[in-house]
């Protein structure tokens, strides 16, 4: 993996990454309500980028695990009323650099999944998550794929960063929409 690019990606996306973490606020603890918002916003985001991930898999002959992770999210959301927005990414699908930036965000989320699983299992009663388990199970493979992608000399650095920042913004947007929806439902009850 290109160390310089990875460092630059981290620095250039840090503010948006922190904004997403603050939106979910898992540092203050875990709850079914927070997990519901998390699942819905990640599911909406993964569906938005599904074609992008599919193109990466097809063109570069690698696995992003997006389809299996979407299935796991859907299992976790069976008990919730789920509205899925199916919007398209802002970039053309043939822009591998942008897609790799998006993949960077989702592959990187596997690292935080270990902490979430620990918190969920310590919750009373314990919360079991198909998605978090699947994310952890695929994390090594995702990180290996990411390493291969980021070592490509043909990447357009600016577009990789743009893709990562858009992915963080998308997750945050869906989370905020879901929090507003939940708040509106509480007010009308």
């Amino acid at each position: 993996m290109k160390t310089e690019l990875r460092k630059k990606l981290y620095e250039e996306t840090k503010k948006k990454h922190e904004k997403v973490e603050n939106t979910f606020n898992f540092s203050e603890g875990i709850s079914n309500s927070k997990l519901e918002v998390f699942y819905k916003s990640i599911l909406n985001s993964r569906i938005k980028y599904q074609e992008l991930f599919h193109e990466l898999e097809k063109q570069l002959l690698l696995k992003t695990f997006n389809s299996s992770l979407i299935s796991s999210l859907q299992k976790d959301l069976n008990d919730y009323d789920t509205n899925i927005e199916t919007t398209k990414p802002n970039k053309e699908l043939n822009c591998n650099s942008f897609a790799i930036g998006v993949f960077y965000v989702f592959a990187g989320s596997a690292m935080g999944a270990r902490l979430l699983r620990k918190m969920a299992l310590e919750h009373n009663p314990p919360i079991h998550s198909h998605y978090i388990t699947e994310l952890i199970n695929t994390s090594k493979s995702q990180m290996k794929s990411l390493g291969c992608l980021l070592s490509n000399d043909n990447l357009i650095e600016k577009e990789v960063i743009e893709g990562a920042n858009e992915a963080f913004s998308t997750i945050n947007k869906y989370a905020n929409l879901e929090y507003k929806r939940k708040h509106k439902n509480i007010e009308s009850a």
Side-chain angles (χ1 to χ4, degrees):
M1 187 177 303
K2 284 187 176 178
T3 309
E4 313 85 50
L5 177 57
R6 187 168 180 135
K7 284 180 184 175
K8 188 164 187 177
L9 255 171
Y10 174 79
E11 289 301 320
E12 295 288 327
T13 62
K14 188 176 182 178
K15 286 182 183 174
K16 292 201 180 214
H17 185 177
E18 288 173 351
K19 192 172 184 176
V20 167
E21 286 183 353
N22 290 334
T23 298
F24 292 121
N25 197 21
F26 286 123
S27 63
E28 297 291 320
I30 200 164
S31 67
N32 281 315
S33 180
K34 283 183 185 179
L35 277 175
E36 178 187 2
V37 171
F38 173 74
Y39 291 150
K40 287 180 177 182
S41 58
I42 298 297
L43 178 61
N44 281 319
S45 300
R46 283 190 173 279
I47 287 173
K48 174 180 178 175
Y49 296 117
Q50 189 166 17
E51 287 181 45
L52 205 74
F53 286 132
H54 179 70
E55 285 299 312
L56 266 182
E57 289 178 346
K58 195 168 77 177
Q59 290 177 19
L60 304 177
L61 303 173
L62 60 86
K63 252 185 113 125
T64 64
F65 301 95
N66 196 54
S67 295
S68 66
L69 289 163
I70 285 174
S71 295
S72 296
L73 280 163
Q74 289 169 328
K75 285 179 192 173
D76 286 328
L77 284 168
N78 276 340
D79 297 333
Y80 303 108
D81 174 32
T82 308
N83 297 315
I84 305 299
E85 266 186 53
T86 53
T87 58
K88 300 274 188 227
N90 292 336
K91 276 283 189 191
E92 291 297 315
L93 291 177
N94 63 3
C95 182
N96 284 342
S97 295
F98 182 86
I100 290 166
V102 173
F103 183 65
Y104 163 83
V105 171
F106 288 98
S109 69
M111 297 304 149
R114 295 182 195 288
L115 178 60
L116 279 181
R117 179 175 64 183
K118 182 179 185 299
M119 291 171 71
L121 293 175
E122 289 173 352
H123 187 268
N124 190 13
I127 302 168
H128 298 281
S129 169
H130 298 283
Y131 175 70
I132 292 171
T133 300
E134 182 70 10
L135 192 57
I136 291 168
N137 290 343
T138 61
S139 65
K140 284 183 182 176
S141 296
Q142 288 189 70
M143 294 311 287
K144 185 177 179 180
S145 293
L146 181 62
C148 291
L149 293 170
L150 291 177
S151 65
N152 181 340
D153 289 329
N154 297 322
L155 289 178
I156 302 168
E157 191 174 283
K158 180 182 173 204
E159 290 187 6
V160 175
I161 292 166
E162 185 182 327
N165 274 319
E166 184 186 297
F168 280 125
S169 292
T170 298
I171 293 166
N172 200 55
K173 176 187 102 175
Y174 285 130
N176 284 321
L177 287 171
E178 193 54 41
Y179 278 124
K180 284 178 187 171
R181 199 175 292 133
K182 286 180 83 58
H183 184 72
K184 189 176 182 179
N185 288 343
I186 291 169
E187 286 181 345
S188 61

